[in-house]
Amino acid sequence: MAEETTRSKPLQKILLIALAVLIFIAIVAVGLYRLSSSSRLNQQLADLRSRGLPTNGAELNAYYAVPSNVRDTTEQWTVAINGVVVANIGSKAQGIPFVGEGPTPVPPLGQEWAELEASRSFLKELDHEIQLIKQAADAGGMARYPVDFTAGYNTILPAQQETRTLARLLSLSAHVNAHDGKNPETLRDASAIFAVSESLRGDPILISQLIRIAIHASGCELVADVLPYGHWTDTELENLQITIGRADFRSGMQMALHGELALSLDAIDRFPYPHSMFRGANKIKAIELLSKSTMGLETSWPEALMSLQKADAELKALAASKFSRLTYATLIPLLPAYQQFIHAGIRAEARQNCAIATIAAYRFRFQHGKLPTSLPDLQDLIPDDDPSKSSRLIDPFDGQPLRFKANSDSVIIYSIGENKVDDGGDFDNERPRDGDLGYLISE
């Protein structure tokens, strides 16, 4: 018995030494991995910064700036927004369309509009505030709205949200002016809506770009509503096309994804132990996934979607593995389905192209006394000042020409929409993602 005990002691010693060696090797391996990961992360962060891209909230604050070649109209837009906020229009807008709970759509010109007189009185009371909006719109340019991104995903955007109110006021004003036969003022209101949208073009996060898209869409819908009654000159219509065409939604989305990456990296830093053990790995993967997506946007919408689909598939694969789910526990919930945002950008460009082509159809009728009979009839009526002139008659959803449907007394110009099914120009305004997207021109 004593002999067996004596023999077991060296064996226990060997096992303890082996265990210590294994622990040492594991510690060294983890250390080397973390060192390699840290070096790789630092290199990726340095590469982003060398390209002028933000990697945290503080850098995002600096990244969000008015370019030197763009007029800085922050002061004008801020004054306009503050004026509307102080006016507290919500308490005065009951029963008023667009800004309150009044019914929409507004009846066409020539039909009775029950809320017309109340809308006139409302706008008269807010004339000073509306003039401030129009002055900012006339100044054009871009605003750097006051916002501090060091708060990360808790950042609030009061000014950006309030731009919706500016657009709604202008929509109401345009409809009232159209019903009152004030064609120049109607045109000015419509153009001002697109200026409100463009004031947001440099906002480097997705929610702001979605607000910008929504405002631009409201402008396109307004133009389609009032075009039949506008009686504008060919030059005025051409200038309206140029105004609608200024928005570059793809570059806006690209900038927003750069901003979302910076916020994601900031958020990963905020996660406490034990998540902080894998902080470097999560940051590296976030940079890889979002960098691929932004590179796709540099090329085209289809490339952007393809890149996002690959990134989404990789993210789903990480979520499916228990080990990866543990390692990337901070990253997985931070990256939403960005494909829906890209689809919003494609819809915005499709609507933009349809609006510009619709105005071209009105210009064709203005010049020839009849409606166009085919899409090529409109090619020469896309303004040369439009940087996207060559692609304005293309549907960004499939790269094919916009659909053109001519009847005896009308023309429909449309995109097949997100479902990529040609429904013959059947628009479902309540479910825009499920149907075609475009406009009708009647004799």
Coordinates of all heavy atoms in Angstrom, one line a residue, residues 61-144:
N61 N -18.7 63.3 -35.3 CA -19.1 64.8 -35.2 C -18.3 65.6 -36.2 O -18.8 66.5 -36.8 CB -18.8 65.3 -33.8 CG -19.9 64.8 -32.8 OD1 -21.0 64.5 -33.2 ND2 -19.5 64.8 -31.5
A62 N -17.0 65.3 -36.3 CA -16.1 66.1 -37.3 C -16.4 65.7 -38.7 O -16.4 66.5 -39.6 CB -14.7 65.8 -36.9
Y63 N -16.8 64.4 -38.9 CA -17.1 63.9 -40.3 C -18.3 64.6 -40.8 O -18.5 64.9 -42.0 CB -17.3 62.4 -40.2 CG -17.6 61.7 -41.5 CD1 -16.7 61.6 -42.5 CD2 -18.9 61.1 -41.7 CE1 -17.0 61.0 -43.7 CE2 -19.2 60.5 -42.8 CZ -18.3 60.4 -43.9 OH -18.6 59.7 -45.0
Y64 N -19.3 64.9 -39.9 CA -20.5 65.5 -40.3 C -20.3 67.0 -40.4 O -20.3 67.8 -39.5 CB -21.6 65.3 -39.3 CG -23.0 65.9 -39.6 CD1 -23.4 66.3 -40.8 CD2 -23.9 66.1 -38.5 CE1 -24.6 66.8 -41.1 CE2 -25.1 66.7 -38.7 CZ -25.5 67.1 -40.0 OH -26.7 67.6 -40.2
A65 N -20.0 67.4 -41.7 CA -19.6 68.8 -41.9 C -20.1 69.2 -43.3 O -20.2 68.4 -44.2 CB -18.1 69.1 -41.7
V66 N -20.3 70.5 -43.5 CA -20.7 71.0 -44.8 C -19.4 71.1 -45.7 O -18.4 71.7 -45.3 CB -21.3 72.4 -44.8 CG1 -21.6 72.9 -46.1 CG2 -22.5 72.4 -43.9
P67 N -19.4 70.4 -46.8 CA -18.2 70.4 -47.7 C -17.8 71.9 -48.1 O -18.7 72.7 -48.2 CB -18.6 69.6 -48.9 CG -19.7 68.7 -48.4 CD -20.4 69.5 -47.4
S68 N -16.6 72.1 -48.4 CA -16.1 73.4 -48.7 C -16.7 74.0 -50.0 O -16.8 75.2 -50.2 CB -14.6 73.4 -48.9 OG -14.1 72.5 -49.9
N69 N -17.1 73.1 -50.9 CA -17.7 73.5 -52.2 C -19.2 73.6 -52.1 O -19.9 73.8 -53.2 CB -17.3 72.6 -53.3 CG -17.8 71.1 -53.1 OD1 -18.1 70.8 -52.0 ND2 -17.9 70.4 -54.2
V70 N -19.8 73.5 -50.9 CA -21.3 73.6 -50.8 C -21.6 74.8 -49.8 O -20.9 75.0 -48.8 CB -21.8 72.3 -50.2 CG1 -23.3 72.4 -49.9 CG2 -21.6 71.1 -51.1
R71 N -22.6 75.5 -50.1 CA -23.0 76.6 -49.3 C -23.5 76.2 -48.0 O -24.4 75.3 -47.9 CB -24.0 77.5 -50.0 CG -24.4 78.8 -49.2 CD -25.4 79.6 -50.0 NE -25.7 80.8 -49.2 CZ -26.6 81.7 -49.5 NH1 -27.3 81.5 -50.6 NH2 -26.8 82.8 -48.8
D72 N -23.0 76.7 -46.9 CA -23.4 76.4 -45.5 C -24.6 77.2 -45.2 O -24.4 78.4 -44.9 CB -22.2 76.6 -44.6 CG -22.6 76.1 -43.1 OD1 -23.8 75.9 -42.8 OD2 -21.6 75.9 -42.3
T73 N -25.8 76.6 -45.1 CA -27.0 77.4 -44.8 C -27.6 76.9 -43.4 O -28.8 76.9 -43.2 CB -28.0 77.2 -45.9 OG1 -28.2 75.8 -46.2 CG2 -27.6 78.0 -47.1
T74 N -26.7 76.4 -42.6 CA -27.1 75.9 -41.2 C -27.9 77.0 -40.5 O -29.0 76.7 -39.9 CB -25.9 75.5 -40.4 OG1 -25.2 74.5 -41.1 CG2 -26.3 75.0 -39.0
E75 N -27.4 78.2 -40.5 CA -28.1 79.3 -39.8 C -29.5 79.5 -40.3 O -30.5 79.6 -39.5 CB -27.3 80.6 -39.9 CG -27.9 81.7 -39.1 CD -27.1 83.0 -39.2 OE1 -26.0 83.0 -39.7 OE2 -27.6 84.0 -38.6
Q76 N -29.7 79.6 -41.6 CA -31.0 79.8 -42.2 C -32.0 78.7 -41.8 O -33.1 78.9 -41.4 CB -30.9 79.9 -43.7 CG -30.3 81.2 -44.2 CD -28.8 81.0 -44.4 OE1 -28.1 80.3 -43.7 NE2 -28.2 81.7 -45.4
W77 N -31.5 77.4 -41.9 CA -32.4 76.3 -41.6 C -32.7 76.2 -40.1 O -33.8 75.9 -39.7 CB -31.8 75.0 -42.1 CG -31.9 74.8 -43.6 CD1 -30.8 74.8 -44.5 CD2 -33.1 74.7 -44.4 NE1 -31.3 74.7 -45.8 CE2 -32.6 74.6 -45.8 CE3 -34.4 74.7 -44.1 CZ2 -33.5 74.5 -46.8 CZ3 -35.3 74.5 -45.2 CH2 -34.9 74.4 -46.5
T78 N -31.7 76.5 -39.3 CA -31.9 76.5 -37.9 C -33.0 77.5 -37.4 O -33.8 77.3 -36.6 CB -30.6 76.7 -37.1 OG1 -29.7 75.7 -37.5 CG2 -30.8 76.6 -35.6
V79 N -32.9 78.7 -38.0 CA -33.8 79.8 -37.7 C -35.2 79.4 -38.1 O -36.2 79.6 -37.4 CB -33.4 81.1 -38.5 CG1 -34.6 82.1 -38.4 CG2 -32.2 81.7 -37.8
A80 N -35.3 78.7 -39.3 CA -36.7 78.3 -39.8 C -37.2 77.2 -38.9 O -38.4 77.3 -38.5 CB -36.5 77.8 -41.2
I81 N -36.4 76.3 -38.5 CA -36.9 75.2 -37.6 C -37.3 75.7 -36.2 O -38.3 75.4 -35.6 CB -35.8 74.1 -37.4 CG1 -35.7 73.3 -38.7 CG2 -36.1 73.2 -36.3 CD1 -34.6 72.3 -38.8
N82 N -36.4 76.6 -35.7 CA -36.8 77.2 -34.4 C -38.1 78.0 -34.4 O -38.8 78.0 -33.4 CB -35.6 78.1 -33.9 CG -34.4 77.3 -33.5 OD1 -34.5 76.1 -33.2 ND2 -33.2 78.0 -33.4
G83 N -38.3 78.7 -35.5 CA -39.5 79.4 -35.6 C -40.8 78.6 -35.6 O -41.8 78.9 -34.9
V84 N -40.7 77.4 -36.3 CA -41.8 76.5 -36.3 C -42.0 75.8 -34.9 O -43.1 75.7 -34.4 CB -41.6 75.4 -37.4 CG1 -42.6 74.3 -37.2 CG2 -41.6 76.0 -38.8
V85 N -40.9 75.5 -34.2 CA -41.0 74.9 -32.9 C -41.6 75.9 -31.9 O -42.6 75.5 -31.2 CB -39.6 74.5 -32.4 CG1 -39.7 74.1 -30.9 CG2 -39.0 73.4 -33.2
V86 N -41.2 77.1 -31.9 CA -41.8 78.2 -31.0 C -43.2 78.4 -31.3 O -44.1 78.6 -30.4 CB -41.0 79.5 -31.1 CG1 -41.7 80.6 -30.4 CG2 -39.6 79.3 -30.6
A87 N -43.6 78.3 -32.6 CA -45.0 78.5 -33.0 C -46.0 77.5 -32.5 O -47.2 77.7 -32.4 CB -45.1 78.6 -34.5
N88 N -45.4 76.3 -32.1 CA -46.2 75.2 -31.6 C -47.5 75.0 -32.4 O -48.6 75.0 -32.0 CB -46.7 75.6 -30.2 CG -47.3 74.4 -29.4 OD1 -47.1 73.2 -29.8 ND2 -48.1 74.7 -28.4
I89 N -47.2 74.6 -33.7 CA -48.3 74.5 -34.7 C -49.2 73.4 -34.4 O -50.4 73.3 -34.8 CB -47.8 74.4 -36.1 CG1 -47.1 73.1 -36.3 CG2 -46.9 75.6 -36.4 CD1 -46.7 72.9 -37.8
G90 N -48.7 72.4 -33.6 CA -49.6 71.2 -33.4 C -50.9 71.6 -32.6 O -51.9 71.0 -32.9
S91 N -50.8 72.6 -31.8 CA -52.0 73.0 -31.1 C -53.0 73.8 -31.9 O -54.1 74.0 -31.6 CB -51.6 73.9 -29.9 OG -50.9 75.1 -30.3
K92 N -52.5 74.2 -33.1 CA -53.4 75.0 -34.0 C -53.8 74.3 -35.3 O -54.6 74.8 -36.1 CB -52.6 76.3 -34.5 CG -52.0 77.1 -33.3 CD -51.0 78.1 -33.9 CE -50.3 78.9 -32.7 NZ -49.3 79.9 -33.2
A93 N -53.3 73.1 -35.4 CA -53.5 72.4 -36.7 C -54.6 71.3 -36.7 O -54.7 70.5 -37.6 CB -52.2 71.7 -37.1
Q94 N -55.4 71.3 -35.7 CA -56.5 70.3 -35.6 C -57.4 70.4 -36.8 O -57.9 71.5 -37.1 CB -57.3 70.4 -34.3 CG -56.4 70.1 -33.1 CD -57.2 70.3 -31.8 OE1 -58.4 70.6 -31.9 NE2 -56.6 70.1 -30.7
G95 N -57.6 69.3 -37.5 CA -58.5 69.3 -38.7 C -57.9 69.8 -40.0 O -58.5 69.8 -41.0
I96 N -56.6 70.2 -39.9 CA -55.9 70.8 -41.1 C -55.1 69.6 -41.8 O -54.4 68.9 -41.1 CB -54.9 71.9 -40.7 CG1 -55.6 73.0 -40.0 CG2 -54.2 72.4 -42.0 CD1 -56.7 73.7 -40.8
P97 N -55.2 69.4 -43.1 CA -54.5 68.4 -43.7 C -53.0 68.6 -43.6 O -52.5 69.7 -43.4 CB -54.9 68.5 -45.2 CG -56.2 69.2 -45.2 CD -56.1 70.2 -44.0
F98 N -52.2 67.5 -43.7 CA -50.8 67.4 -43.7 C -50.2 67.7 -42.4 O -49.4 66.9 -41.8 CB -50.2 68.4 -44.8 CG -50.6 68.1 -46.2 CD1 -51.5 68.9 -46.8 CD2 -50.2 67.0 -46.8 CE1 -51.9 68.6 -48.1 CE2 -50.6 66.7 -48.1 CZ -51.5 67.5 -48.8
V99 N -50.5 68.9 -41.8 CA -49.9 69.2 -40.5 C -50.7 68.8 -39.3 O -50.3 68.8 -38.2 CB -49.6 70.8 -40.4 CG1 -48.5 71.2 -41.4 CG2 -50.9 71.5 -40.7
G100 N -52.0 68.5 -39.5 CA -52.9 68.0 -38.5 C -53.5 66.7 -38.9 O -52.9 65.9 -39.5
E101 N -54.7 66.5 -38.5 CA -55.4 65.2 -38.7 C -56.5 65.4 -39.8 O -57.4 64.6 -40.0 CB -56.1 64.7 -37.5 CG -55.1 64.4 -36.4 CD -55.7 63.9 -35.1 OE1 -57.0 63.9 -35.0 OE2 -55.0 63.5 -34.2
G102 N -56.4 66.5 -40.6 CA -57.3 66.7 -41.7 C -57.2 65.7 -42.8 O -56.1 65.1 -42.9
P103 N -58.2 65.4 -43.5 CA -58.2 64.3 -44.5 C -57.3 64.6 -45.7 O -57.2 65.8 -46.2 CB -59.7 64.2 -45.0 CG -60.2 65.6 -44.7 CD -59.5 66.1 -43.5
T104 N -56.7 63.6 -46.2 CA -55.9 63.6 -47.4 C -56.2 62.4 -48.2 O -56.7 61.4 -47.6 CB -54.4 63.7 -47.1 OG1 -54.0 62.5 -46.3 CG2 -53.9 65.0 -46.4
P105 N -56.1 62.3 -49.5 CA -55.5 63.4 -50.3 C -56.5 64.6 -50.4 O -57.7 64.5 -50.3 CB -55.3 62.8 -51.7 CG -56.3 61.6 -51.7 CD -56.4 61.1 -50.3
V106 N -55.9 65.7 -50.8 CA -56.7 66.9 -51.0 C -57.5 66.8 -52.3 O -56.9 66.3 -53.3 CB -55.8 68.2 -51.0 CG1 -56.5 69.4 -51.5 CG2 -55.2 68.4 -49.6
P107 N -58.7 67.2 -52.4 CA -59.5 67.2 -53.6 C -58.8 68.0 -54.7 O -58.1 69.0 -54.5 CB -60.8 67.8 -53.3 CG -60.9 67.7 -51.8 CD -59.5 67.8 -51.3
P108 N -58.8 67.5 -56.0 CA -58.2 68.2 -57.1 C -58.8 69.6 -57.3 O -59.9 69.9 -56.8 CB -58.5 67.3 -58.3 CG -58.9 66.0 -57.7 CD -59.5 66.3 -56.4
L109 N -58.1 70.5 -58.0 CA -58.6 71.8 -58.3 C -59.9 71.7 -59.1 O -60.1 70.9 -60.0 CB -57.5 72.5 -59.2 CG -57.8 74.0 -59.4 CD1 -57.6 74.8 -58.1 CD2 -56.8 74.5 -60.4
G110 N -60.9 72.5 -58.7 CA -62.2 72.5 -59.3 C -63.2 71.7 -58.5 O -64.4 71.8 -58.7
Q111 N -62.7 70.9 -57.5 CA -63.6 70.2 -56.6 C -63.6 70.9 -55.3 O -62.7 71.5 -54.9 CB -63.2 68.7 -56.5 CG -63.3 67.9 -57.8 CD -63.0 66.4 -57.5 OE1 -63.0 65.9 -56.4 NE2 -62.7 65.7 -58.6
E112 N -64.7 70.7 -54.6 CA -64.9 71.4 -53.3 C -63.9 70.8 -52.3 O -63.8 69.6 -52.1 CB -66.3 71.2 -52.7 CG -66.5 72.0 -51.4 CD -67.9 71.8 -50.9 OE1 -68.8 71.2 -51.6 OE2 -68.2 72.3 -49.8
W113 N -63.2 71.6 -51.5 CA -62.3 71.2 -50.5 C -62.8 71.8 -49.2 O -62.6 73.0 -48.9 CB -60.9 71.7 -50.9 CG -59.8 71.3 -49.8 CD1 -59.9 70.5 -48.8 CD2 -58.5 71.9 -49.8 NE1 -58.8 70.4 -48.1 CE2 -57.9 71.3 -48.7 CE3 -57.8 72.8 -50.5 CZ2 -56.5 71.6 -48.3 CZ3 -56.5 73.1 -50.1 CH2 -55.9 72.5 -49.0
A114 N -63.3 71.0 -48.4 CA -64.0 71.5 -47.1 C -63.1 72.2 -46.2 O -63.5 73.1 -45.5 CB -64.7 70.3 -46.4
E115 N -61.8 71.8 -46.2 CA -60.8 72.4 -45.3 C -60.1 73.6 -45.9 O -59.1 74.1 -45.2 CB -59.8 71.4 -44.8 CG -60.4 70.3 -43.9 CD -61.2 69.2 -44.7 OE1 -60.9 69.1 -46.0 OE2 -62.1 68.6 -44.2
L116 N -60.5 74.1 -47.0 CA -59.7 75.1 -47.7 C -59.7 76.4 -46.9 O -58.6 77.0 -46.7 CB -60.3 75.4 -49.1 CG -59.6 76.5 -49.9 CD1 -58.1 76.2 -50.1 CD2 -60.3 76.6 -51.3
E117 N -60.8 76.9 -46.5 CA -60.8 78.1 -45.7 C -60.0 78.0 -44.4 O -59.3 79.0 -44.1 CB -62.3 78.6 -45.5 CG -62.4 80.0 -44.9 CD -61.7 81.0 -45.8 OE1 -61.8 81.0 -47.0 OE2 -60.9 81.9 -45.2
A118 N -60.2 76.9 -43.7 CA -59.5 76.8 -42.5 C -58.0 76.7 -42.7 O -57.2 77.2 -41.9 CB -60.0 75.5 -41.8
S119 N -57.6 76.1 -43.8 CA -56.2 76.0 -44.2 C -55.6 77.4 -44.5 O -54.5 77.7 -44.1 CB -56.0 75.0 -45.4 OG -56.4 73.7 -45.0
R120 N -56.4 78.2 -45.2 CA -56.0 79.5 -45.6 C -55.7 80.3 -44.3 O -54.7 81.0 -44.1 CB -57.1 80.2 -46.4 CG -57.2 79.9 -47.8 CD -57.9 81.0 -48.6 NE -58.3 80.5 -49.9 CZ -59.6 80.2 -50.2 NH1 -60.6 80.2 -49.3 NH2 -59.8 79.8 -51.5
S121 N -56.6 80.2 -43.3 CA -56.5 81.0 -42.1 C -55.3 80.5 -41.3 O -54.5 81.3 -40.7 CB -57.8 80.8 -41.2 OG -58.9 81.3 -41.9
F122 N -55.1 79.2 -41.3 CA -54.0 78.6 -40.6 C -52.6 79.1 -41.2 O -51.7 79.5 -40.4 CB -54.1 77.1 -40.7 CG -52.9 76.3 -40.1 CD1 -52.7 76.1 -38.8 CD2 -51.9 75.9 -41.0 CE1 -51.6 75.5 -38.3 CE2 -50.8 75.2 -40.5 CZ -50.6 75.0 -39.1
L123 N -52.6 79.1 -42.5 CA -51.3 79.5 -43.1 C -51.1 81.0 -43.0 O -49.9 81.5 -42.8 CB -51.4 79.2 -44.6 CG -51.3 77.7 -45.0 CD1 -51.6 77.5 -46.5 CD2 -50.0 77.1 -44.6
K124 N -52.2 81.8 -42.9 CA -52.0 83.2 -42.7 C -51.5 83.5 -41.3 O -50.6 84.4 -41.2 CB -53.4 83.9 -42.9 CG -53.3 85.4 -42.8 CD -54.7 86.1 -43.1 CE -54.6 87.6 -43.0 NZ -56.0 88.2 -43.2
E125 N -51.9 82.8 -40.4 CA -51.4 82.9 -39.0 C -49.9 82.6 -38.9 O -49.2 83.1 -38.1 CB -52.2 82.1 -38.0 CG -51.9 82.3 -36.6 CD -52.7 81.5 -35.6 OE1 -53.7 80.9 -36.1 OE2 -52.4 81.4 -34.4
L126 N -49.5 81.6 -39.7 CA -48.1 81.2 -39.7 C -47.3 81.8 -40.8 O -46.2 81.2 -41.2 CB -48.0 79.7 -39.8 CG -48.5 78.9 -38.5 CD1 -48.7 77.5 -38.8 CD2 -47.6 79.2 -37.3
D127 N -47.7 82.9 -41.4 CA -47.0 83.4 -42.6 C -45.5 83.7 -42.3 O -44.7 83.5 -43.1 CB -47.7 84.7 -43.0 CG -47.1 85.3 -44.3 OD1 -47.1 84.7 -45.3 OD2 -46.5 86.4 -44.2
H128 N -45.2 84.3 -41.1 CA -43.9 84.6 -40.8 C -43.0 83.4 -40.8 O -41.9 83.4 -41.4 CB -43.8 85.3 -39.4 CG -42.4 85.6 -39.0 ND1 -41.5 86.5 -39.6 CD2 -41.7 85.0 -37.9 CE1 -40.4 86.5 -38.9 NE2 -40.4 85.6 -38.0
E129 N -43.5 82.3 -40.2 CA -42.7 81.1 -40.1 C -42.5 80.4 -41.4 O -41.4 79.9 -41.8 CB -43.4 80.1 -39.1 CG -43.3 80.4 -37.7 CD -44.3 81.6 -37.3 OE1 -45.2 81.9 -38.1 OE2 -44.1 82.1 -36.2
I130 N -43.5 80.5 -42.3 CA -43.4 79.9 -43.6 C -42.4 80.7 -44.5 O -41.7 80.2 -45.3 CB -44.8 79.8 -44.3 CG1 -45.7 78.8 -43.5 CG2 -44.7 79.5 -45.8 CD1 -47.1 78.8 -44.0
Q131 N -42.4 82.0 -44.3 CA -41.5 82.8 -45.1 C -40.0 82.5 -44.7 O -39.1 82.5 -45.5 CB -41.8 84.3 -44.8 CG -43.1 84.8 -45.5 CD -43.2 84.4 -46.9 OE1 -42.3 84.6 -47.7 NE2 -44.4 84.0 -47.3
L132 N -39.8 82.2 -43.4 CA -38.5 81.8 -42.9 C -38.1 80.5 -43.6 O -36.9 80.3 -44.0 CB -38.5 81.6 -41.4 CG -38.6 82.9 -40.5 CD1 -38.6 82.5 -39.1 CD2 -37.4 83.8 -40.8
I133 N -39.0 79.6 -43.8 CA -38.7 78.3 -44.4 C -38.3 78.6 -45.9 O -37.3 78.0 -46.4 CB -39.9 77.3 -44.4 CG1 -40.3 77.0 -42.9 CG2 -39.6 76.1 -45.2 CD1 -41.6 76.2 -42.8
K134 N -39.1 79.4 -46.6 CA -38.9 79.7 -48.0 C -37.5 80.5 -48.2 O -36.8 80.2 -49.2 CB -40.0 80.5 -48.6 CG -41.3 79.7 -48.7 CD -42.4 80.5 -49.3 CE -43.7 79.7 -49.4 NZ -44.8 80.4 -50.0
Q135 N -37.2 81.3 -47.2 CA -35.9 82.0 -47.3 C -34.8 81.0 -47.2 O -33.8 81.1 -47.9 CB -35.8 83.1 -46.2 CG -36.7 84.3 -46.5 CD -36.8 85.2 -45.2 OE1 -36.0 85.1 -44.3 NE2 -37.9 86.0 -45.2
A136 N -34.9 80.1 -46.3 CA -33.8 79.0 -46.2 C -33.8 78.2 -47.4 O -32.7 77.9 -47.9 CB -34.1 78.2 -45.0
A137 N -34.9 77.9 -48.0 CA -35.0 77.1 -49.2 C -34.4 77.8 -50.4 O -33.6 77.3 -51.2 CB -36.4 76.7 -49.6
D138 N -34.6 79.1 -50.5 CA -34.0 79.9 -51.5 C -32.5 80.0 -51.4 O -31.8 80.0 -52.4 CB -34.6 81.4 -51.5 CG -36.1 81.4 -51.9 OD1 -36.5 80.5 -52.6 OD2 -36.7 82.4 -51.6
A139 N -32.0 79.9 -50.2 CA -30.6 80.0 -50.0 C -30.0 78.6 -50.4 O -28.8 78.6 -50.8 CB -30.3 80.3 -48.5
G140 N -30.8 77.5 -50.3 CA -30.3 76.2 -50.7 C -29.2 75.7 -49.8 O -29.3 75.7 -48.6
G141 N -28.2 75.1 -50.4 CA -27.1 74.6 -49.7 C -27.4 73.4 -48.8 O -28.4 72.7 -49.0
M142 N -26.6 73.3 -47.7 CA -26.8 72.1 -46.8 C -26.6 72.6 -45.4 O -25.9 73.6 -45.2 CB -25.7 71.1 -47.1 CG -25.6 70.0 -46.1 SD -24.1 68.9 -46.4 CE -23.7 68.5 -44.7
A143 N -27.2 72.0 -44.5 CA -27.1 72.4 -43.0 C -26.3 71.3 -42.3 O -26.3 70.1 -42.6 CB -28.5 72.5 -42.4
R144 N -25.6 71.8 -41.3 CA -24.9 70.9 -40.3 C -25.7 71.1 -39.0 O -25.4 71.9 -38.2 CB -23.5 71.3 -40.1 CG -22.6 70.2 -39.5 CD -22.9 69.8 -38.1 NE -22.0 68.9 -37.5 CZ -22.2 68.3 -36.3 NH1 -23.3 68.5 -35.6 NH2 -21.3 67.5 -35.8

